[in-house]
Amino acid sequence: MRAVHAWRAPDRLTLGAADSGPAAGQERAEEWLRFLAAVLQVWRDKYPDVEVLETVAEGRPADALLKAASDARLLVVGHRLPARPALPRTGPVTHAVIQQARRPLAVVPHG
């Protein structure tokens, strides 16, 4: 199983003093990788026979998911259920993946 987290660098309007330069991008990627590994640890403990690979990528989430799943047999994306559902609606990442995926896709709703 591969878990993917995509992040976007702050733009010029939201840059802080520590957010500039290539080192900041590398440090942010390492920080997200540690976070993703920590979040997945409970699942590693529960299913020790399943190999889990973490991937972090800077850029658009849909692009990162599609790229990471280029050789996957199944692409799974989450679908956050709204607190007060009015109409069925997917978020922008799930919608983009649904439109562009060229492999089997599972959309898993969650609260």
Side-chain angles (χ1 to χ4, degrees), residues 60-67 69 75-78 90-107:
R60 295 181 59 230
D63 293 343
L65 286 170
L66 292 165
K67 182 177 179 182
L75 173 56
V76 180
V77 294
T90 61
V93 174
T94 301
H95 182 79
V97 170
I98 290 169
Q99 295 297 314
Q100 298 175 42
R102 300 291 180 247
R103 61 207 17 68
L105 173 67
V107 178

Side-chain angles (χ1 to χ4, degrees), residues 40-92:
L40 294 171
Q41 188 59 50
V42 68
W43 297 107
R44 280 195 170 95
D45 294 343
K46 190 171 182 174
Y47 300 100
D49 295 336
V50 176
E51 181 182 5
V52 179
L53 304 171
E54 298 97 353
T55 301
V56 295
E58 183 177 2
R60 295 181 59 230
D63 293 343
L65 286 170
L66 292 165
K67 182 177 179 182
S70 63
D71 61 346
R73 286 186 259 158
L74 176 67
L75 173 56
V76 180
V77 294
H79 169 58
R80 187 174 304 146
L81 297 173
R84 296 183 347 183
L87 297 171
R89 180 185 176 282
T90 61

